[in-house]
Amino acid sequence: ATYDDGRGGVRVEVVTTDEISLVVSGSVSQESPYVTGVRLGNSNINGLGIYADGEWQDGGFYRDGWRATAIDYQLFGRPFQLGAEIERRPIGGDWSGELRHPFFTDVQRIAWRAAIGSSLDAFPFLRPDSLDPSVSLTRSFADIGFVVRVGEPGRLSLFGASLSREVSIPSPDIILVTDNGIVPAPGTSLDTRYSRSRAARLNFLWGVRNIGFKRVVGFDALTGAQDVRTGFQLAVLFGRSLSVLGTHDDDILVSSDVYAGVGTARSFAAVQLLGAGRQSYDANRWDDILTSGRAAWYFKASAPYTTVASTEWSGGWRQRAPFQLSLGEGRGGMRGYSGTELPGGQRLLFRLEQRWVFGNVRGNADAAAGLVGEAGRMWAGDVPFGQTVPLKYSVGTSLFAALPPGSQRLWRLDLMFPLNRVTGAGWELRLRSENNTRIFWREPRDVERSRERSLPQRIFQWP
């Protein structure tokens, strides 16, 4: 609104409404303890552009797990980001730190990052009808690199380089993590399967982009607007091992990320695929092959109704470090099957969601309800104890809220029921808070944890 200030000038008053910056999630179980996890944080503390959250996880017989994350998005008042994370798991833990200047717009000329971290995990392998053995794995990494932009906004190329170092040390002592303590478990197929690796690499990065943006409403939010990417983009990393810093491996590493999107404000389809593999000159073969991706179609029959159909894929072959997928993985698997032991090397999921925005709650929030259906299957692959699992199904219902109205952040409460009788399958109730308007595909944790952490995946992905 504008007002006469009484002195021959004009006074302009602008009123803004911030989105809810609270970060909250939790998980419950059918059995005691009924509350198994809580996450609480704030994505914009005091409006200073600082993110911080903490998470607690019930550890059962072992110590409880906790995690703390902090990110300053405007370090020294500049567009630099400093992040740190520390986590104590019931067994093991990790820490990491990163200083970066990511790409914010196409008119930016340069981006860079430096990262370092270390972790200790007891990597569990699901073994149906028996106790699950674990491999203790110590990993450390460091990376520093940059990219520069060449070309016009919207149609550009990226060129860059990075120097990385990664060490992976699996323990030869296989263990069983039982409800009453850790006990040795010799005599399994895991005893001699994994060996240590130490690699320093010089990486070359290249990307090409021909992208536009289309403004849509109610795709990944309820009534909030978002800009979806139309067009095509490709990023490639090529790394060559160096005979320095104690390197054991003689190899090349190739990693790629491809995205394509097309559509209108009513109907939009997109696909994103990620892949990585290593050519070992010592063994004269490709290994450490890891892939994932998502294809999705959004359709709005009318303003209140949104249909989202998606297919998600994850797969790995010849992994040198411990690796195994599960059908019920917490972030990227099927809901209703998180308690099952259905392991494999490749996973395929189908999801269908019908959402209906039924109104505004006293001007404070948007509200919606939805029906959800999921189907998924597994292939045994070459992972330990892998199984080929035929299609499984689950259905459920969801309640959604966006605070304030038009917010891009979505709060959702999902209640899912499995349709197949499988040991460990049961209804699940999940509360989540998420903003997916800027991220088309977030890899499942069981894929993400097996990627080399020194690869600069985040900073060199375009917004």
Side-chain angles (χ1 to χ4, degrees), residues 55-57 62-68 86-95:
E55 186 172 356
W56 166 84
Q57 174 191 1
Y62 301 93
R63 64 187 186 186
D64 287 356
W66 57 261
R67 180 184 58 83
I86 183 170
E87 180 176 8
R88 186 189 78 168
R89 289 182 282 274
I91 299 175
D94 68 15
W95 64 269

Side-chain angles (χ1 to χ4, degrees), residues 15-34:
V15 179
T16 63
T17 302
D18 291 338
E19 292 193 8
I20 298 296
S21 58
L22 190 64
V23 177
V24 177
S25 65
S27 58
V28 297
S29 171
Q30 296 178 210
E31 301 176 353
S32 178
Y34 300 104

Side-chain angles (χ1 to χ4, degrees), residues 21 29 45 54 62 86 90 99 124 128-129 197 218 270 288 366 403 425 427 444 456:
S21 58
S29 171
I45 297 176
Y62 301 93
I86 183 170
L99 178 63
D129 303 322
S197 65
D288 278 351
D366 294 321
L403 297 84
W427 64 267

Side-chain angles (χ1 to χ4, degrees), residues 9 20 50 160 165 196 202 229 251 253 269 271 301 327 335 366 383 388 426:
I20 298 296
I50 297 175
R165 182 174 185 267
R196 66 176 56 194
L202 178 62
R229 292 174 291 171
D251 61 21
L253 180 70
V271 59
L327 184 64
R335 290 166 290 183
D366 294 321
V383 303
T388 296

Side-chain angles (χ1 to χ4, degrees), residues 281-338:
Y281 292 116
D282 298 319
N284 193 29
R285 69 169 191 173
W286 283 90
D287 56 23
D288 278 351
I289 301 169
L290 196 60
T291 63
S292 71
R294 177 179 185 241
W297 176 55
Y298 297 81
F299 176 70
K300 292 189 71 68
S302 60
Y305 299 97
T306 302
T307 303
V308 183
S310 65
T311 300
E312 299 174 9
W313 163 262
S314 302
W317 295 263
R318 295 179 179 176
Q319 292 291 305
R320 294 184 301 157
F323 171 77
Q324 189 190 65
L325 303 179
S326 65
L327 184 64
E329 195 275 333
R331 188 166 77 185
M334 282 187 66
R335 290 166 290 183
Y337 293 87
S338 63

